[in-house]
Amino acid sequence: MSDPRNVAILIFDEVEVLDFAGPFEVFGVAGRANKQRLFNVYTVAARPGPVLARNRLSINPAHTFEDCPPPRILLIPGGSGTRPLLEDARVIDWIRAAAGRAELALSVCTGALLLAKAGLLDGLSATTYHTAFDELRALAPETTLCPGLRFVDNGRVMTSAGISAGIDMALYVVGKLHGLEEAFAAARYMEYDLNPELLA
């Protein structure tokens, strides 16, 4: 059994809770049915100290940019807090560098805006939250937008629609990397009603 893949999930003020917590749960429980640990999932923030997510949920990030273990999977969630980060060169530079070294770069909801700002969606297809397509188009005019899809797989870069769609994408990633049985086992553990057609 190989070492578990590092999964870094960026968190920031006004991050949408289910955007990061849904995939965190998926990657955290994947393999549990077979007493395996397939992923080492952790949160990372730009600076130390608590992060206030939507509805003032306080989260303590496990790492900052300075001490973050190199991720093989990078996940960028969304929420209204993505908009200020579009002007934060330090965050955008970190996303670009971490994604460049990672096996997979994922976004949930308006996390796609940050991938676009980092230049990671040029020439690819993408989805995002249903009200954010105009913003994404402005940031990534060379990206093919895919409204109505739960998630889009470009190979190394994947984007999902809003909030709960991140769970579907994370389960898809589990299936892609470890087989469909592991994906369905994780969904059963979560008592999540996974549509089998999404994994086809």
Side-chain angles (χ1 to χ4, degrees), residues 92-105:
I92 299 302
D93 288 347
W94 182 85
I95 290 171
R96 185 183 298 113
R101 293 188 295 266
E103 181 180 356
L104 296 173

Side-chain angles (χ1 to χ4, degrees), residues 17-31:
V17 174
L18 197 58
D19 278 13
F20 78 87
F24 190 105
E25 180 77 1
V26 170
F27 291 121
V29 306

Side-chain angles (χ1 to χ4, degrees), residues 61-128:
H63 298 283
T64 65
F65 291 170
E66 285 70 29
D67 68 2
C68 180
R72 291 183 64 185
I73 299 173
L74 174 67
L75 187 138
I76 311 297
S80 60
T82 56
R83 280 34 170 230
L85 296 185
L86 292 171
E87 306 307 320
D88 190 328
R90 181 166 173 265
V91 171
I92 299 302
D93 288 347
W94 182 85
I95 290 171
R96 185 183 298 113
R101 293 188 295 266
E103 181 180 356
L104 296 173
L106 317 174
S107 70
V108 181
C109 195
T110 55
L113 302 181
L114 297 177
L115 292 187
K117 182 71 174 184
L120 299 171
L121 297 181
D122 292 347
L124 302 181
S125 299
T127 189
T128 186

